[in-house]
Amino acid sequence: MEAVSFDNLAIIAAVAFAAPLVLGLAPWLRAPSVLIEILAGVLLGPSLLGWVQADTAVQVLSLIGVGYLLLLAGIEIDFDQLRGQVLRVALLGFVVSFALALAVAYGLWAAGAVRSPFLIAVMLSATSLAVLLPLLKDTGLISSRFGQIVIAGASVADAVATVILLSLFFSGQPTSLESRFVLFGVFGALCVIAAAMIVAGGRVTRLSGVLLALQDTTAQIRVRGTFVLLLAFSIVAQRFGLEAILGTFIAGAILKLADRDQMMTHSHFHEKLEEAGFGFFIPVFFVSSGVRLDAHALVSSGSALAKVPVFLLALYVVRGLPALLYRPLIGGRLTVAAAALQATTLSFVLIASQIGEQLGLITAATTAALTAAALLSVLINPVIAITLLRSTPATPAPAGGSPPATGQQ
């Protein structure tokens, strides 16, 4: 049997360690860690220095990383906030956003710039929840009225609608669209049954007592159970002709729903999951995405390079303009900040573009242009938002979860 080398993985792990350390030592950089990780991957990968390759070990852990990222996205959804006026505005915002995305994508297709306009529309409709959550947490705005509205909009766009659309219409499984819809319905029913069983199991006194006894020992039983759930839902989703990322996201949402009474899991359970994910698996995904990025395809073609500002402008149109719906809730200045944050995307573009390349729907040059535009959005937009937020203090969200109908903060 051929020996597996961990040389490439060791370098990627070193980059994952160094990226936040560099930012901590040089806070004036004001760049998200994921941006440094991807750029380091491009620098060290085949596109430039050629020191790192995406071998089997890297690909396997990268696949776990993207699944873990979607799992945490599902966990981060605040179902108590996703209701009432906030939910209505978030859903309306995504409808407007997707309509704009279809118009922009089919315009690009008519101009011969892209091959699959519907896939491009889905990609342009996403907001990077993985980038926004750390930013809102670090600035203390996660529980503010502004923060909850932004999270609601991003949850619908990044963690629900686009994942489902990608899974339904761009699965690599050889099944018809009609069959996929039926299978999706059956898969959804199984998810509901699984969620009910998890909730019911947590209320069994003997079982919950054992879980409580083992959760902080070397068994770490709840963390192990999460990995079982992640892998099981990934496999089931694939068996039903859907993308594995949909299964991982739903696994996270089920964990969140099962923990609604705050008594079924340990108070540090989610922290443990974040430590495992952001500590290793997720950075491996981001660094390896940079390694796999074909930068030559971007710089070797003038048309590919010209697509970068076009895609960046499309993000502002598709995701930024619908934020105007938030103006009656948070006022003008914070609406601009919300628009900048909503136009920030990265992780979903990386996931969807890799799937699109595998299906032959987009070229390597288009993937590179989309990734470059997404990287620019991560570099520029949070700085714009933070500048606006510093001059406008945010108020906490109301206890009921629905912000007031009007009012400038």
Side-chain angles (χ1 to χ4, degrees):
M1 183 178 69
E2 183 180 353
V4 177
S5 171
F6 293 101
D7 295 352
N8 293 301
L9 184 60
I11 296 175
I12 288 177
V15 170
F17 167 76
L21 185 62
V22 169
L23 292 175
L25 294 173
W28 50 268
L29 286 175
R30 292 187 178 182
S33 181
V34 294
L35 179 65
I36 306 299
E37 292 162 4
I38 293 174
L39 292 179
V42 175
L43 174 65
L44 298 176
S47 294
L48 292 176
L49 297 178
W51 293 354
V52 181
Q53 304 290 329
D55 58 13
T56 302
V58 171
Q59 290 180 25
V60 169
L61 285 173
S62 176
L63 186 61
I64 296 175
V66 68
Y68 210 109
L69 180 62
L70 270 295
L71 175 96
L72 292 180
I75 290 175
E76 287 293 348
I77 293 180
D78 190 341
F79 290 97
D80 290 326
Q81 295 291 341
L82 278 178
R83 61 183 181 182
Q85 189 178 21
V86 171
L87 180 58
R88 289 194 297 271
V89 172
L91 289 174
L92 179 59
F94 181 77
V95 171
V96 174
S97 181
F98 194 63
L100 291 171
L102 288 173
V104 170
Y106 276 92
L108 293 173
W109 173 72
V114 298
R115 292 181 182 177
S116 178
F118 193 77
L119 175 58
I120 297 298
V122 172
M123 295 170 69
L124 292 176
S125 301
T127 295
S128 186
L129 196 60
V131 174
L132 299 192
L133 285 173
L135 186 149
L136 291 172
K137 286 181 179 179
D138 292 341
T139 55
L141 295 170
I142 194 76
S143 60
S144 70
R145 179 170 51 183
F146 168 83
Q148 288 302 313
I149 290 173
V150 172
I151 289 177
S155 296
V156 172
D158 187 51
V160 181
T162 50
V163 171
I164 292 175
L165 288 171
L166 182 69
S167 187
L168 281 176
F169 291 96
F170 301 101
S171 173
Q173 301 296 325
T175 54
S176 66
L177 182 60
E178 294 79 6
S179 299
R180 211 170 294 159
F181 269 103
V182 173
L183 292 173
F184 179 78
V186 177
F187 175 70
L190 290 177
C191 291
V192 172
I193 295 173
M197 292 176 63
I198 292 173
V199 173
R203 293 174 178 170
V204 176
T205 304
R206 180 172 177 78
L207 178 59
S208 61
V210 173
L211 292 175
L212 185 64
L214 295 176
Q215 63 187 2
D216 288 325
T217 67
T218 54
Q220 292 294 332
I221 193 66
R222 294 190 187 277
V223 176
R224 296 188 187 191
T226 298
F227 276 94
V228 172
L229 197 66
L230 183 151
L231 295 173
F233 271 78
S234 299
I235 294 170
V236 172
Q238 287 184 318
R239 293 291 186 270
F240 277 84
L242 305 170
E243 285 299 328
I245 59 172
L246 177 62
T248 60
F249 166 72
I250 291 178
I254 287 176
L255 283 175
K256 180 70 173 185
L257 286 169
D259 193 28
R260 290 175 67 83
D261 59 5
Q262 302 299 315
M263 294 297 292
M264 297 178 63
T265 58
H266 191 275
S267 58
H268 299 301
F269 173 53
H270 292 172
E271 294 178 11
K272 293 177 182 179
L273 295 181
E274 288 185 353
E275 289 167 359
F278 289 111
F280 183 67
F281 294 112
I282 294 173
V284 168
F285 164 67
F286 283 123
V287 178
S288 64
S289 295
V291 171
R292 290 195 297 266
L293 181 65
D294 188 357
H296 293 304
L298 178 64
V299 299
S300 63
S301 170
S303 60
L305 200 59
K307 291 178 184 178
V308 176
V310 173
F311 285 139
L312 183 60
L313 178 61
L315 288 174
Y316 289 122
V317 172
V318 171
R319 293 300 295 149
L321 286 181
L324 292 174
L325 295 168
Y326 305 157
R327 184 181 175 86
L329 306 177
I330 57 178
R333 183 183 291 270
L334 291 184
T335 296
V336 177
L341 292 178
Q342 281 200 166
T344 304
T345 187
L346 184 58
S347 52
F348 187 82
V349 169
L350 296 174
I351 297 168
S353 60
Q354 290 174 16
I355 293 174
E357 274 198 81
Q358 293 171 3
L359 298 177
L361 298 175
I362 59 176
T363 63
T366 299
T367 294
L370 281 165
T371 304
L375 288 172
L376 287 174
S377 77
V378 172
L379 179 64
I380 298 170
N381 297 349
V383 175
I384 295 174
I386 290 174
T387 302
L388 293 169
L389 292 171
R390 282 175 177 170
S391 60
T392 310
T395 58
S402 296
T406 59
Q408 170 76 33
Q409 298 186 64

